[in-house]
Amino acid sequence: MYETIIYEVKDSIAIVTINREKALNAINNQVLADLDKVLDEIKADKNIRGLILTGAGRSFVAGADIAAMSVMNEEEGFNFGVYGNGVFRKIELLDIPVIAAVNGFALGGGCELAMTSDYIVASEKAKFGQPEAGLGITPGFGGTQRLPRKIGVSKAKELIFSARVISAQEAYELGIVDKLVAPEELMDKVMELMNSFTKNAPIAVANCKKAIDEGYQLDIDGGVKTESKWFAKCFGTEDQKEGMAAFLEKRPAEFKNK
Ligand code: CO8
């Protein structure tokens, strides 16, 4: 089992809750190890159609563990950063939709964790920020890379240089957060949204994700080529035959993830 996360599956949707409440769910090596392991479990389970990331208690993730980092030397810092970046990239490369349900503080590594997801839903009470420069370090789990890609270079620099903690509303206006909801509605709204993704053909949704993520790194010619590749692959699936037959026969489709 897991020491620092809670892993549940509800209606084919995996829910991973970071659970180190006494440290506001700060990420240490154990959290990374648990995340790494649960990602393998999720990848191996073909019944799972989506992943929700959230935090226990009043925090999503209040960053990497400052006590653990305070005694690291350069080599240890390098290893921690590479390990975290590897685990976070593994989340990003999952071929199921991932939603971050940000219930509270999403600071440093927490903001970086949220940004590995396909979509961020935040409670109106959540707080975001990259406070690392105020601690004498740079963001180290992808913040210097994903934040500018999300909100633009100069806005990302302002947030990272100033180490400013911002409200969920400001994060929404900047484009870090995709949807804001009342705190008590967070999980219901996230489940509703996830169900609207997972009711569709899973391989088609996975191929859409790959086409968007791969294409986003390319120029438009490379991008449309990537789209054609993932579009074509759908025609080799049973679900494409089923989806189109269901339309023509005027009945709901029954997708089998095949
Ligand atoms: N690490 C370790 N412990 C933490 C962390 C953290 N990031 N955040 C909170 N805690 C602990 C506190 O020390 C406290 O413990 P204790 O009860 O034993 O004193 C407990 O959680 C509760 O916290 P507070 O009493 O501070 O609660 P408040 O409500 O007063 O404040 C805040 C909440 C504003 C979230 C505050 O705790 C805070 O500012 N936390 C730190 C936020 C931060 O700076 N995060 C960024 C960390 S750096 C980072 O994430 C880098 C990522 C990349 C790493 C790459 C490595 C190479």
Side-chain angles (χ1 to χ4, degrees):
M1 276 295 102
Y2 300 101
E3 253 179 67
T4 62
I5 62 172
I6 301 166
Y7 178 52
E8 301 158 274
V9 180
K10 281 188 194 157
D11 303 328
S12 299
I13 294 167
I15 304 170
V16 171
T17 306
I18 315 294
N19 184 35
R20 278 190 79 216
E21 267 195 71
K22 63 173 173 32
L24 299 182
N25 306 324
I27 297 177
N28 58 14
N29 271 314
Q30 189 58 49
V31 176
L32 291 178
D34 285 343
L35 279 174
D36 200 16
K37 197 166 154 210
V38 82
L39 291 168
D40 289 339
E41 190 172 340
I42 290 167
K43 274 163 71 169
D45 187 342
K46 292 298 160 211
N47 291 319
I48 290 177
R49 304 279 173 96
L51 167 63
I52 295 169
L53 297 169
T54 193
R58 67 190 178 100
S59 178
F60 176 70
V61 166
D65 192 303
I66 297 169
M69 287 188 296
S70 66
V71 292
M72 286 180 189
N73 62 26
E74 196 171 333
E75 189 187 353
E76 289 161 336
F78 178 78
N79 291 337
F80 188 51
V82 168
Y83 188 23
N85 265 326
V87 173
F88 281 23
R89 186 82 178 116
K90 207 162 157 179
I91 300 172
E92 201 168 46
L93 289 172
L94 284 175
D95 60 9
I96 51 174
V98 181
I99 302 177
V102 179
N103 51 305
F105 298 111
L107 303 176
C111 187
E112 293 169 308
L113 178 64
M115 288 191 293
T116 65
S117 65
D118 298 305
Y119 198 88
I120 300 179
V121 183
S123 147
E124 286 157 352
K125 284 194 176 156
K127 300 262 189 252
F128 289 78
Q130 298 287 161
E132 288 89 345
L135 295 163
I137 58 172
T138 71
F141 293 161
T144 62
Q145 303 308 304
R146 291 191 183 93
L147 192 58
R149 282 168 169 78
K150 241 179 136 60
I151 67 172
V153 169
S154 51
K155 287 192 170 66
K157 283 179 176 168
E158 187 271 325
L159 271 186
I160 291 173
F161 294 174
S162 69
R164 206 156 61 82
V165 173
I166 60 173
S167 65
Q169 178 66 37
E170 187 174 353
Y172 175 71
E173 284 160 14
L174 279 169
I176 299 172
V177 168
D178 299 299
K179 193 182 184 71
L180 268 184
V181 298
E184 63 280 6
E185 289 187 332
L186 179 65
M187 282 317 275
D188 285 350
K189 292 283 184 200
V190 167
M191 275 306 236
E192 199 179 295
L193 182 66
M194 186 59 95
N195 282 320
S196 77
F197 300 163
T198 58
K199 73 177 191 329
N200 294 312
I203 298 169
V205 172
N207 289 359
C208 291
K209 178 166 171 170
K210 289 176 211 160
I212 293 167
D213 287 346
E214 285 178 19
Y216 196 68
Q217 311 297 330
L218 303 171
D219 64 17
I220 188 68
D221 292 316
V224 293
K225 225 168 143 182
T226 291
E227 183 184 76
S228 297
K229 175 181 79 182
W230 292 111
F231 174 70
K233 282 182 188 290
C234 296
F235 290 84
T237 68
E238 287 180 26
D239 283 350
Q240 176 264 333
K241 305 287 177 264
E242 166 61 13
M244 294 190 178
F247 174 81
L248 296 172
E249 291 160 19
K250 302 190 189 305
R251 60 170 174 83
E254 278 183 42
F255 294 119
K256 295 203 173 77
N257 197 15
K258 284 185 182 160

